Structures are given as C-alpha cells and as structure tokens.
PDB file of all heavy atoms in Angstrom:
ATOM      1  N   THR A   9     250.656 161.966 -78.808  1.00 97.00           N
ATOM      2  CA  THR A   9     249.204 162.032 -78.710  1.00 97.00           C
ATOM      3  C   THR A   9     248.714 160.642 -78.320  1.00 97.00           C
ATOM      4  O   THR A   9     249.198 159.640 -78.840  1.00 97.00           O
ATOM      5  CB  THR A   9     248.577 162.439 -80.059  1.00 97.00           C
ATOM      6  OG1 THR A   9     249.010 163.756 -80.384  1.00 97.00           O
ATOM      7  CG2 THR A   9     247.058 162.395 -80.016  1.00 97.00           C
ATOM      8  N   ILE A  10     247.755 160.594 -77.394  1.00 98.00           N
ATOM      9  CA  ILE A  10     247.195 159.318 -76.947  1.00 98.00           C
ATOM     10  C   ILE A  10     245.729 159.277 -77.360  1.00 98.00           C
ATOM     11  O   ILE A  10     244.972 160.202 -77.082  1.00 98.00           O
ATOM     12  CB  ILE A  10     247.317 159.154 -75.421  1.00 98.00           C
ATOM     13  CG1 ILE A  10     248.789 159.167 -75.016  1.00 98.00           C
ATOM     14  CG2 ILE A  10     246.617 157.873 -74.954  1.00 98.00           C
ATOM     15  CD1 ILE A  10     249.013 159.261 -73.520  1.00 98.00           C
ATOM     16  N   LYS A  11     245.341 158.194 -78.039  1.00 98.00           N
ATOM     17  CA  LYS A  11     243.948 158.023 -78.449  1.00 98.00           C
ATOM     18  C   LYS A  11     243.408 156.755 -77.796  1.00 98.00           C
ATOM     19  O   LYS A  11     244.006 155.687 -77.909  1.00 98.00           O
ATOM     20  CB  LYS A  11     243.843 157.914 -79.967  1.00 98.00           C
ATOM     21  CG  LYS A  11     242.419 157.819 -80.469  1.00 98.00           C
ATOM     22  CD  LYS A  11     242.376 157.877 -81.989  1.00 98.00           C
ATOM     23  CE  LYS A  11     241.018 158.316 -82.456  1.00 98.00           C
ATOM     24  NZ  LYS A  11     241.043 158.719 -83.855  1.00 98.00           N
ATOM     25  N   ASN A  12     242.283 156.903 -77.084  1.00 98.00           N
ATOM     26  CA  ASN A  12     241.603 155.768 -76.469  1.00 98.00           C
ATOM     27  C   ASN A  12     240.344 155.464 -77.262  1.00 98.00           C
ATOM     28  O   ASN A  12     239.547 156.370 -77.526  1.00 98.00           O
ATOM     29  CB  ASN A  12     241.236 156.090 -75.015  1.00 98.00           C
ATOM     30  CG  ASN A  12     242.456 156.221 -74.141  1.00 98.00           C
ATOM     31  OD1 ASN A  12     243.227 155.286 -74.002  1.00 98.00           O
ATOM     32  ND2 ASN A  12     242.651 157.397 -73.564  1.00 98.00           N
ATOM     33  N   LEU A  13     240.175 154.206 -77.636  1.00 97.00           N
ATOM     34  CA  LEU A  13     238.970 153.746 -78.321  1.00 97.00           C
ATOM     35  C   LEU A  13     238.251 152.806 -77.363  1.00 97.00           C
ATOM     36  O   LEU A  13     238.779 151.744 -77.005  1.00 97.00           O
ATOM     37  CB  LEU A  13     239.335 153.011 -79.618  1.00 97.00           C
ATOM     38  CG  LEU A  13     240.185 153.798 -80.607  1.00 97.00           C
ATOM     39  CD1 LEU A  13     240.709 152.899 -81.712  1.00 97.00           C
ATOM     40  CD2 LEU A  13     239.383 154.943 -81.189  1.00 97.00           C
ATOM     41  N   PHE A  14     237.050 153.223 -76.926  1.00 96.00           N
ATOM     42  CA  PHE A  14     236.313 152.455 -75.931  1.00 96.00           C
ATOM     43  C   PHE A  14     235.358 151.486 -76.611  1.00 96.00           C
ATOM     44  O   PHE A  14     234.945 151.690 -77.755  1.00 96.00           O
ATOM     45  CB  PHE A  14     235.553 153.407 -74.993  1.00 96.00           C
ATOM     46  CG  PHE A  14     236.478 154.329 -74.243  1.00 96.00           C
ATOM     47  CD1 PHE A  14     236.693 155.628 -74.680  1.00 96.00           C
ATOM     48  CD2 PHE A  14     237.151 153.897 -73.107  1.00 96.00           C
ATOM     49  CE1 PHE A  14     237.554 156.481 -74.006  1.00 96.00           C
ATOM     50  CE2 PHE A  14     238.005 154.745 -72.420  1.00 96.00           C
ATOM     51  CZ  PHE A  14     238.210 156.039 -72.870  1.00 96.00           C
ATOM     52  N   THR A  15     234.982 150.448 -75.886  1.00 95.00           N
ATOM     53  CA  THR A  15     234.138 149.397 -76.456  1.00 95.00           C
ATOM     54  C   THR A  15     232.736 149.894 -76.798  1.00 95.00           C
ATOM     55  O   THR A  15     232.076 149.317 -77.643  1.00 95.00           O
ATOM     56  CB  THR A  15     234.031 148.199 -75.490  1.00 95.00           C
ATOM     57  OG1 THR A  15     233.562 148.676 -74.222  1.00 95.00           O
ATOM     58  CG2 THR A  15     235.379 147.538 -75.298  1.00 95.00           C
ATOM     59  N   ASP A  16     232.283 150.983 -76.172  1.00 94.00           N
ATOM     60  CA  ASP A  16     230.944 151.511 -76.450  1.00 94.00           C
ATOM     61  C   ASP A  16     230.932 152.461 -77.649  1.00 94.00           C
ATOM     62  O   ASP A  16     229.918 153.080 -77.946  1.00 94.00           O
ATOM     63  CB  ASP A  16     230.359 152.200 -75.221  1.00 94.00           C
ATOM     64  CG  ASP A  16     231.168 153.419 -74.787  1.00 94.00           C
ATOM     65  OD1 ASP A  16     232.167 153.764 -75.463  1.00 94.00           O
ATOM     66  OD2 ASP A  16     230.788 154.027 -73.768  1.00 94.00           O
ATOM     67  N   GLY A  17     232.087 152.593 -78.340  1.00 93.00           N
ATOM     68  CA  GLY A  17     232.141 153.437 -79.531  1.00 93.00           C
ATOM     69  C   GLY A  17     232.657 154.841 -79.276  1.00 93.00           C
ATOM     70  O   GLY A  17     232.878 155.600 -80.215  1.00 93.00           O
ATOM     71  N   GLN A  18     232.851 155.230 -78.027  1.00 95.00           N
ATOM     72  CA  GLN A  18     233.383 156.558 -77.727  1.00 95.00           C
ATOM     73  C   GLN A  18     234.886 156.579 -77.959  1.00 95.00           C
ATOM     74  O   GLN A  18     235.550 155.543 -77.882  1.00 95.00           O
ATOM     75  CB  GLN A  18     233.074 156.942 -76.277  1.00 95.00           C
ATOM     76  CG  GLN A  18     231.589 157.080 -75.998  1.00 95.00           C
ATOM     77  CD  GLN A  18     231.347 157.554 -74.584  1.00 95.00           C
ATOM     78  OE1 GLN A  18     231.717 158.662 -74.234  1.00 95.00           O
ATOM     79  NE2 GLN A  18     230.723 156.706 -73.773  1.00 95.00           N
ATOM     80  N   GLU A  19     235.398 157.778 -78.247  1.00 97.00           N
ATOM     81  CA  GLU A  19     236.831 157.969 -78.448  1.00 97.00           C
ATOM     82  C   GLU A  19     237.302 159.150 -77.611  1.00 97.00           C
ATOM     83  O   GLU A  19     236.543 160.088 -77.392  1.00 97.00           O
ATOM     84  CB  GLU A  19     237.143 158.287 -79.912  1.00 97.00           C
ATOM     85  CG  GLU A  19     236.822 157.196 -80.883  1.00 97.00           C
ATOM     86  CD  GLU A  19     237.133 157.602 -82.326  1.00 97.00           C
ATOM     87  OE1 GLU A  19     237.819 158.624 -82.539  1.00 97.00           O
ATOM     88  OE2 GLU A  19     236.679 156.888 -83.225  1.00 97.00           O
ATOM     89  N   GLU A  20     238.562 159.088 -77.206  1.00 97.00           N
ATOM     90  CA  GLU A  20     239.164 160.199 -76.474  1.00 97.00           C
ATOM     91  C   GLU A  20     240.597 160.352 -76.972  1.00 97.00           C
ATOM     92  O   GLU A  20     241.334 159.376 -77.039  1.00 97.00           O
ATOM     93  CB  GLU A  20     239.165 159.902 -74.979  1.00 97.00           C
ATOM     94  CG  GLU A  20     239.872 160.952 -74.140  1.00 97.00           C
ATOM     95  CD  GLU A  20     239.971 160.542 -72.692  1.00 97.00           C
ATOM     96  OE1 GLU A  20     240.744 159.606 -72.391  1.00 97.00           O
ATOM     97  OE2 GLU A  20     239.274 161.142 -71.864  1.00 97.00           O
ATOM     98  N   SER A  21     240.964 161.585 -77.347  1.00 97.00           N
ATOM     99  CA  SER A  21     242.334 161.875 -77.762  1.00 97.00           C
ATOM    100  C   SER A  21     242.907 162.917 -76.818  1.00 97.00           C
ATOM    101  O   SER A  21     242.271 163.927 -76.539  1.00 97.00           O
ATOM    102  CB  SER A  21     242.378 162.402 -79.197  1.00 97.00           C
ATOM    103  OG  SER A  21     241.926 161.409 -80.102  1.00 97.00           O
ATOM    104  N   ILE A  22     244.114 162.657 -76.342  1.00 97.00           N
ATOM    105  CA  ILE A  22     244.810 163.586 -75.450  1.00 97.00           C
ATOM    106  C   ILE A  22     246.078 164.025 -76.173  1.00 97.00           C
ATOM    107  O   ILE A  22     246.950 163.198 -76.469  1.00 97.00           O
ATOM    108  CB  ILE A  22     245.146 162.915 -74.101  1.00 97.00           C
ATOM    109  CG1 ILE A  22     243.862 162.373 -73.458  1.00 97.00           C
ATOM    110  CG2 ILE A  22     245.859 163.896 -73.175  1.00 97.00           C
ATOM    111  CD1 ILE A  22     244.096 161.423 -72.304  1.00 97.00           C
ATOM    112  N   PHE A  23     246.156 165.322 -76.493  1.00 97.00           N
ATOM    113  CA  PHE A  23     247.263 165.849 -77.268  1.00 97.00           C
ATOM    114  C   PHE A  23     248.385 166.314 -76.349  1.00 97.00           C
ATOM    115  O   PHE A  23     248.145 166.646 -75.180  1.00 97.00           O
ATOM    116  CB  PHE A  23     246.771 166.988 -78.166  1.00 97.00           C
ATOM    117  CG  PHE A  23     245.824 166.507 -79.228  1.00 97.00           C
ATOM    118  CD1 PHE A  23     244.455 166.456 -78.994  1.00 97.00           C
ATOM    119  CD2 PHE A  23     246.300 166.076 -80.445  1.00 97.00           C
ATOM    120  CE1 PHE A  23     243.574 165.987 -79.952  1.00 97.00           C
ATOM    121  CE2 PHE A  23     245.432 165.608 -81.417  1.00 97.00           C
ATOM    122  CZ  PHE A  23     244.065 165.564 -81.178  1.00 97.00           C
ATOM    123  N   PRO A  24     249.626 166.380 -76.855  1.00 96.00           N
ATOM    124  CA  PRO A  24     250.761 166.779 -76.018  1.00 96.00           C
ATOM    125  C   PRO A  24     250.583 168.138 -75.346  1.00 96.00           C
ATOM    126  O   PRO A  24     251.126 168.363 -74.261  1.00 96.00           O
ATOM    127  CB  PRO A  24     251.935 166.807 -76.997  1.00 96.00           C
ATOM    128  CG  PRO A  24     251.546 165.859 -78.081  1.00 96.00           C
ATOM    129  CD  PRO A  24     250.056 166.000 -78.200  1.00 96.00           C
ATOM    130  N   ASP A  25     249.818 169.055 -75.953  1.00 95.00           N
ATOM    131  CA  ASP A  25     249.622 170.384 -75.345  1.00 95.00           C
ATOM    132  C   ASP A  25     248.553 170.383 -74.257  1.00 95.00           C
ATOM    133  O   ASP A  25     248.249 171.421 -73.689  1.00 95.00           O
ATOM    134  CB  ASP A  25     249.295 171.432 -76.412  1.00 95.00           C
ATOM    135  CG  ASP A  25     247.905 171.251 -77.020  1.00 95.00           C
ATOM    136  OD1 ASP A  25     247.187 170.286 -76.679  1.00 95.00           O
ATOM    137  OD2 ASP A  25     247.531 172.091 -77.856  1.00 95.00           O
ATOM    138  N   GLY A  26     247.960 169.220 -73.981  1.00 95.00           N
ATOM    139  CA  GLY A  26     246.946 169.119 -72.939  1.00 95.00           C
ATOM    140  C   GLY A  26     245.516 169.178 -73.447  1.00 95.00           C
ATOM    141  O   GLY A  26     244.578 168.965 -72.686  1.00 95.00           O
ATOM    142  N   THR A  27     245.330 169.464 -74.733  1.00 96.00           N
ATOM    143  CA  THR A  27     243.985 169.481 -75.316  1.00 96.00           C
ATOM    144  C   THR A  27     243.419 168.062 -75.301  1.00 96.00           C
ATOM    145  O   THR A  27     244.119 167.103 -75.617  1.00 96.00           O
ATOM    146  CB  THR A  27     244.029 170.016 -76.758  1.00 96.00           C
ATOM    147  OG1 THR A  27     244.559 171.344 -76.737  1.00 96.00           O
ATOM    148  CG2 THR A  27     242.637 170.036 -77.391  1.00 96.00           C
ATOM    149  N   ILE A  28     242.129 167.959 -74.931  1.00 97.00           N
ATOM    150  CA  ILE A  28     241.446 166.662 -74.907  1.00 97.00           C
ATOM    151  C   ILE A  28     240.230 166.745 -75.819  1.00 97.00           C
ATOM    152  O   ILE A  28     239.437 167.675 -75.723  1.00 97.00           O
ATOM    153  CB  ILE A  28     240.996 166.290 -73.476  1.00 97.00           C
ATOM    154  CG1 ILE A  28     242.208 166.226 -72.540  1.00 97.00           C
ATOM    155  CG2 ILE A  28     240.233 164.968 -73.469  1.00 97.00           C
ATOM    156  CD1 ILE A  28     241.854 166.069 -71.075  1.00 97.00           C
ATOM    157  N   VAL A  29     240.093 165.750 -76.715  1.00 97.00           N
ATOM    158  CA  VAL A  29     238.948 165.673 -77.614  1.00 97.00           C
ATOM    159  C   VAL A  29     238.212 164.371 -77.318  1.00 97.00           C
ATOM    160  O   VAL A  29     238.806 163.289 -77.347  1.00 97.00           O
ATOM    161  CB  VAL A  29     239.382 165.707 -79.102  1.00 97.00           C
ATOM    162  CG1 VAL A  29     238.174 165.562 -80.017  1.00 97.00           C
ATOM    163  CG2 VAL A  29     240.144 166.984 -79.414  1.00 97.00           C
ATOM    164  N   ARG A  30     236.910 164.498 -77.013  1.00 97.00           N
ATOM    165  CA  ARG A  30     236.081 163.314 -76.772  1.00 97.00           C
ATOM    166  C   ARG A  30     235.002 163.257 -77.846  1.00 97.00           C
ATOM    167  O   ARG A  30     234.298 164.241 -78.057  1.00 97.00           O
ATOM    168  CB  ARG A  30     235.446 163.388 -75.388  1.00 97.00           C
ATOM    169  CG  ARG A  30     236.450 163.260 -74.270  1.00 97.00           C
ATOM    170  CD  ARG A  30     235.782 163.241 -72.895  1.00 97.00           C
ATOM    171  NE  ARG A  30     236.765 163.090 -71.850  1.00 97.00           N
ATOM    172  CZ  ARG A  30     237.388 164.107 -71.255  1.00 97.00           C
ATOM    173  NH1 ARG A  30     237.097 165.350 -71.589  1.00 97.00           N
ATOM    174  NH2 ARG A  30     238.285 163.878 -70.325  1.00 97.00           N
ATOM    175  N   VAL A  31     234.879 162.102 -78.489  1.00 96.00           N
ATOM    176  CA  VAL A  31     233.874 161.907 -79.529  1.00 96.00           C
ATOM    177  C   VAL A  31     232.885 160.858 -79.021  1.00 96.00           C
ATOM    178  O   VAL A  31     233.280 159.759 -78.626  1.00 96.00           O
ATOM    179  CB  VAL A  31     234.516 161.433 -80.860  1.00 96.00           C
ATOM    180  CG1 VAL A  31     233.450 161.246 -81.929  1.00 96.00           C
ATOM    181  CG2 VAL A  31     235.580 162.429 -81.325  1.00 96.00           C
ATOM    182  N   GLN A  32     231.592 161.246 -79.019  1.00 94.00           N
ATOM    183  CA  GLN A  32     230.543 160.340 -78.562  1.00 94.00           C
ATOM    184  C   GLN A  32     230.098 159.433 -79.708  1.00 94.00           C
ATOM    185  O   GLN A  32     230.409 159.677 -80.870  1.00 94.00           O
ATOM    186  CB  GLN A  32     229.350 161.144 -78.032  1.00 94.00           C
ATOM    187  CG  GLN A  32     229.704 162.102 -76.906  1.00 94.00           C
ATOM    188  CD  GLN A  32     230.315 161.415 -75.711  1.00 94.00           C
ATOM    189  OE1 GLN A  32     229.831 160.386 -75.258  1.00 94.00           O
ATOM    190  NE2 GLN A  32     231.402 161.971 -75.200  1.00 94.00           N
ATOM    191  N   ARG A  33     229.313 158.426 -79.392  1.00 91.00           N
ATOM    192  CA  ARG A  33     228.823 157.497 -80.421  1.00 91.00           C
ATOM    193  C   ARG A  33     227.989 158.210 -81.470  1.00 91.00           C
ATOM    194  O   ARG A  33     227.972 157.815 -82.624  1.00 91.00           O
ATOM    195  CB  ARG A  33     227.997 156.382 -79.778  1.00 91.00           C
ATOM    196  CG  ARG A  33     228.854 155.399 -79.045  1.00 91.00           C
ATOM    197  CD  ARG A  33     228.113 154.148 -78.659  1.00 91.00           C
ATOM    198  NE  ARG A  33     226.695 154.334 -78.468  1.00 91.00           N
ATOM    199  CZ  ARG A  33     225.999 153.845 -77.475  1.00 91.00           C
ATOM    200  NH1 ARG A  33     226.589 153.136 -76.552  1.00 91.00           N
ATOM    201  NH2 ARG A  33     224.705 154.032 -77.384  1.00 91.00           N
ATOM    202  N   ASP A  34     227.270 159.285 -81.074  1.00 91.00           N
ATOM    203  CA  ASP A  34     226.414 160.003 -82.023  1.00 91.00           C
ATOM    204  C   ASP A  34     227.212 160.964 -82.907  1.00 91.00           C
ATOM    205  O   ASP A  34     226.641 161.668 -83.735  1.00 91.00           O
ATOM    206  CB  ASP A  34     225.301 160.759 -81.289  1.00 91.00           C
ATOM    207  CG  ASP A  34     225.828 161.881 -80.396  1.00 91.00           C
ATOM    208  OD1 ASP A  34     227.052 162.133 -80.376  1.00 91.00           O
ATOM    209  OD2 ASP A  34     224.993 162.511 -79.715  1.00 91.00           O
ATOM    210  N   GLY A  35     228.534 161.001 -82.719  1.00 91.00           N
ATOM    211  CA  GLY A  35     229.382 161.869 -83.531  1.00 91.00           C
ATOM    212  C   GLY A  35     229.641 163.230 -82.918  1.00 91.00           C
ATOM    213  O   GLY A  35     230.467 163.981 -83.420  1.00 91.00           O
ATOM    214  N   SER A  36     228.917 163.585 -81.848  1.00 95.00           N
ATOM    215  CA  SER A  36     229.178 164.879 -81.219  1.00 95.00           C
ATOM    216  C   SER A  36     230.565 164.853 -80.581  1.00 95.00           C
ATOM    217  O   SER A  36     231.065 163.802 -80.180  1.00 95.00           O
ATOM    218  CB  SER A  36     228.104 165.221 -80.184  1.00 95.00           C
ATOM    219  OG  SER A  36     228.116 164.293 -79.125  1.00 95.00           O
ATOM    220  N   LYS A  37     231.175 166.038 -80.527  1.00 97.00           N
ATOM    221  CA  LYS A  37     232.566 166.141 -80.105  1.00 97.00           C
ATOM    222  C   LYS A  37     232.709 167.229 -79.054  1.00 97.00           C
ATOM    223  O   LYS A  37     232.192 168.322 -79.224  1.00 97.00           O
ATOM    224  CB  LYS A  37     233.396 166.500 -81.338  1.00 97.00           C
ATOM    225  CG  LYS A  37     234.883 166.466 -81.148  1.00 97.00           C
ATOM    226  CD  LYS A  37     235.624 166.958 -82.397  1.00 97.00           C
ATOM    227  CE  LYS A  37     235.439 166.055 -83.572  1.00 97.00           C
ATOM    228  NZ  LYS A  37     236.268 166.466 -84.717  1.00 97.00           N
ATOM    229  N   MET A  38     233.412 166.912 -77.959  1.00 97.00           N
ATOM    230  CA  MET A  38     233.727 167.888 -76.920  1.00 97.00           C
ATOM    231  C   MET A  38     235.235 168.076 -76.922  1.00 97.00           C
ATOM    232  O   MET A  38     235.987 167.117 -76.823  1.00 97.00           O
ATOM    233  CB  MET A  38     233.263 167.402 -75.543  1.00 97.00           C
ATOM    234  CG  MET A  38     233.697 168.301 -74.391  1.00 97.00           C
ATOM    235  SD  MET A  38     233.066 169.982 -74.429  1.00 97.00           S
ATOM    236  CE  MET A  38     231.407 169.723 -73.844  1.00 97.00           C
ATOM    237  N   ILE A  39     235.665 169.330 -77.043  1.00 97.00           N
ATOM    238  CA  ILE A  39     237.090 169.653 -77.038  1.00 97.00           C
ATOM    239  C   ILE A  39     237.377 170.513 -75.814  1.00 97.00           C
ATOM    240  O   ILE A  39     236.712 171.523 -75.606  1.00 97.00           O
ATOM    241  CB  ILE A  39     237.491 170.420 -78.319  1.00 97.00           C
ATOM    242  CG1 ILE A  39     237.077 169.630 -79.559  1.00 97.00           C
ATOM    243  CG2 ILE A  39     238.993 170.712 -78.320  1.00 97.00           C
ATOM    244  CD1 ILE A  39     237.130 170.424 -80.848  1.00 97.00           C
ATOM    245  N   GLU A  40     238.324 170.094 -75.015  1.00 97.00           N
ATOM    246  CA  GLU A  40     238.745 170.865 -73.843  1.00 97.00           C
ATOM    247  C   GLU A  40     240.164 171.347 -74.110  1.00 97.00           C
ATOM    248  O   GLU A  40     241.087 170.538 -74.250  1.00 97.00           O
ATOM    249  CB  GLU A  40     238.698 169.997 -72.587  1.00 97.00           C
ATOM    250  CG  GLU A  40     237.288 169.549 -72.235  1.00 97.00           C
ATOM    251  CD  GLU A  40     237.241 168.645 -71.015  1.00 97.00           C
ATOM    252  OE1 GLU A  40     238.214 168.647 -70.226  1.00 97.00           O
ATOM    253  OE2 GLU A  40     236.251 167.924 -70.871  1.00 97.00           O
ATOM    254  N   PHE A  41     240.317 172.673 -74.201  1.00 96.00           N
ATOM    255  CA  PHE A  41     241.617 173.261 -74.489  1.00 96.00           C
ATOM    256  C   PHE A  41     242.370 173.517 -73.193  1.00 96.00           C
ATOM    257  O   PHE A  41     241.768 173.708 -72.129  1.00 96.00           O
ATOM    258  CB  PHE A  41     241.449 174.572 -75.270  1.00 96.00           C
ATOM    259  CG  PHE A  41     240.799 174.374 -76.612  1.00 96.00           C
ATOM    260  CD1 PHE A  41     239.427 174.539 -76.766  1.00 96.00           C
ATOM    261  CD2 PHE A  41     241.552 174.011 -77.718  1.00 96.00           C
ATOM    262  CE1 PHE A  41     238.818 174.354 -77.998  1.00 96.00           C
ATOM    263  CE2 PHE A  41     240.957 173.827 -78.956  1.00 96.00           C
ATOM    264  CZ  PHE A  41     239.581 173.996 -79.094  1.00 96.00           C
ATOM    265  N   ASN A  42     243.692 173.595 -73.275  1.00 93.00           N
ATOM    266  CA  ASN A  42     244.496 173.787 -72.073  1.00 93.00           C
ATOM    267  C   ASN A  42     244.385 175.204 -71.506  1.00 93.00           C
ATOM    268  O   ASN A  42     244.843 175.469 -70.406  1.00 93.00           O
ATOM    269  CB  ASN A  42     245.962 173.421 -72.331  1.00 93.00           C
ATOM    270  CG  ASN A  42     246.603 174.268 -73.406  1.00 93.00           C
ATOM    271  OD1 ASN A  42     245.983 175.199 -73.932  1.00 93.00           O
ATOM    272  ND2 ASN A  42     247.840 173.955 -73.745  1.00 93.00           N
ATOM    273  N   ASN A  43     243.729 176.126 -72.240  1.00 94.00           N
ATOM    274  CA  ASN A  43     243.542 177.493 -71.735  1.00 94.00           C
ATOM    275  C   ASN A  43     242.198 177.654 -71.020  1.00 94.00           C
ATOM    276  O   ASN A  43     241.793 178.764 -70.700  1.00 94.00           O
ATOM    277  CB  ASN A  43     243.649 178.512 -72.879  1.00 94.00           C
ATOM    278  CG  ASN A  43     242.592 178.304 -73.944  1.00 94.00           C
ATOM    279  OD1 ASN A  43     241.698 177.469 -73.804  1.00 94.00           O
ATOM    280  ND2 ASN A  43     242.694 179.058 -75.020  1.00 94.00           N
ATOM    281  N   GLY A  44     241.493 176.538 -70.798  1.00 93.00           N
ATOM    282  CA  GLY A  44     240.227 176.579 -70.075  1.00 93.00           C
ATOM    283  C   GLY A  44     239.000 176.679 -70.975  1.00 93.00           C
ATOM    284  O   GLY A  44     237.878 176.558 -70.505  1.00 93.00           O
ATOM    285  N   GLN A  45     239.199 176.918 -72.261  1.00 96.00           N
ATOM    286  CA  GLN A  45     238.059 176.983 -73.179  1.00 96.00           C
ATOM    287  C   GLN A  45     237.590 175.570 -73.508  1.00 96.00           C
ATOM    288  O   GLN A  45     238.360 174.618 -73.480  1.00 96.00           O
ATOM    289  CB  GLN A  45     238.451 177.714 -74.467  1.00 96.00           C
ATOM    290  CG  GLN A  45     238.816 179.160 -74.246  1.00 96.00           C
ATOM    291  CD  GLN A  45     239.214 179.848 -75.545  1.00 96.00           C
ATOM    292  OE1 GLN A  45     238.950 179.374 -76.639  1.00 96.00           O
ATOM    293  NE2 GLN A  45     239.880 180.995 -75.410  1.00 96.00           N
ATOM    294  N   ARG A  46     236.283 175.475 -73.805  1.00 97.00           N
ATOM    295  CA  ARG A  46     235.681 174.200 -74.221  1.00 97.00           C
ATOM    296  C   ARG A  46     234.882 174.434 -75.479  1.00 97.00           C
ATOM    297  O   ARG A  46     234.313 175.511 -75.662  1.00 97.00           O
ATOM    298  CB  ARG A  46     234.759 173.663 -73.123  1.00 97.00           C
ATOM    299  CG  ARG A  46     235.484 173.260 -71.879  1.00 97.00           C
ATOM    300  CD  ARG A  46     234.544 172.933 -70.740  1.00 97.00           C
ATOM    301  NE  ARG A  46     233.336 172.281 -71.169  1.00 97.00           N
ATOM    302  CZ  ARG A  46     232.661 171.383 -70.467  1.00 97.00           C
ATOM    303  NH1 ARG A  46     233.095 171.042 -69.279  1.00 97.00           N
ATOM    304  NH2 ARG A  46     231.566 170.835 -70.923  1.00 97.00           N
ATOM    305  N   GLU A  47     234.832 173.431 -76.326  1.00 97.00           N
ATOM    306  CA  GLU A  47     234.059 173.547 -77.554  1.00 97.00           C
ATOM    307  C   GLU A  47     233.237 172.282 -77.720  1.00 97.00           C
ATOM    308  O   GLU A  47     233.724 171.180 -77.484  1.00 97.00           O
ATOM    309  CB  GLU A  47     235.019 173.713 -78.745  1.00 97.00           C
ATOM    310  CG  GLU A  47     234.417 174.493 -79.881  1.00 97.00           C
ATOM    311  CD  GLU A  47     235.463 174.922 -80.902  1.00 97.00           C
ATOM    312  OE1 GLU A  47     236.072 175.988 -80.708  1.00 97.00           O
ATOM    313  OE2 GLU A  47     235.647 174.179 -81.879  1.00 97.00           O
ATOM    314  N   LEU A  48     231.979 172.457 -78.124  1.00 97.00           N
ATOM    315  CA  LEU A  48     231.082 171.339 -78.365  1.00 97.00           C
ATOM    316  C   LEU A  48     230.645 171.401 -79.817  1.00 97.00           C
ATOM    317  O   LEU A  48     230.157 172.442 -80.275  1.00 97.00           O
ATOM    318  CB  LEU A  48     229.862 171.412 -77.431  1.00 97.00           C
ATOM    319  CG  LEU A  48     228.778 170.357 -77.634  1.00 97.00           C
ATOM    320  CD1 LEU A  48     229.317 168.948 -77.371  1.00 97.00           C
ATOM    321  CD2 LEU A  48     227.592 170.639 -76.706  1.00 97.00           C
ATOM    322  N   HIS A  49     230.831 170.308 -80.545  1.00 96.00           N
ATOM    323  CA  HIS A  49     230.400 170.211 -81.937  1.00 96.00           C
ATOM    324  C   HIS A  49     229.287 169.168 -82.021  1.00 96.00           C
ATOM    325  O   HIS A  49     229.476 168.029 -81.589  1.00 96.00           O
ATOM    326  CB  HIS A  49     231.544 169.749 -82.838  1.00 96.00           C
ATOM    327  CG  HIS A  49     232.692 170.697 -82.910  1.00 96.00           C
ATOM    328  ND1 HIS A  49     233.613 170.642 -83.917  1.00 96.00           N
ATOM    329  CD2 HIS A  49     233.084 171.717 -82.117  1.00 96.00           C
ATOM    330  CE1 HIS A  49     234.529 171.584 -83.739  1.00 96.00           C
ATOM    331  NE2 HIS A  49     234.227 172.245 -82.641  1.00 96.00           N
ATOM    332  N   THR A  50     228.140 169.564 -82.550  1.00 95.00           N
ATOM    333  CA  THR A  50     227.049 168.619 -82.797  1.00 95.00           C
ATOM    334  C   THR A  50     226.609 168.792 -84.250  1.00 95.00           C
ATOM    335  O   THR A  50     227.128 169.650 -84.962  1.00 95.00           O
ATOM    336  CB  THR A  50     225.841 168.879 -81.867  1.00 95.00           C
ATOM    337  OG1 THR A  50     225.207 170.095 -82.272  1.00 95.00           O
ATOM    338  CG2 THR A  50     226.253 168.951 -80.406  1.00 95.00           C
TER     339      THR A  50
END
C-alpha cells in the first residue's frame, strides 16, 4: 500500500488491489474502487 501525504494536508492511499482513497483537508473522503464504483464520505 502506498500513502502520499501532501503539504496542503491532503492524503492519498493506493492499495494493492487498485483501490484509491483520497482524503481532503476538510476530512471528506473519496474512494475509487477497482470495479469502477466510487464512494464519497462527508
């Protein structure tokens, strides 16, 4: 798993199965699954 921590406070995690999770500074989270589904958490 690869996690990127950006200087503006955003985070991005890339999992071995291809799932990508992006966390914004406000705490909202976007998840992109390898099956084409996306999920947004606010």
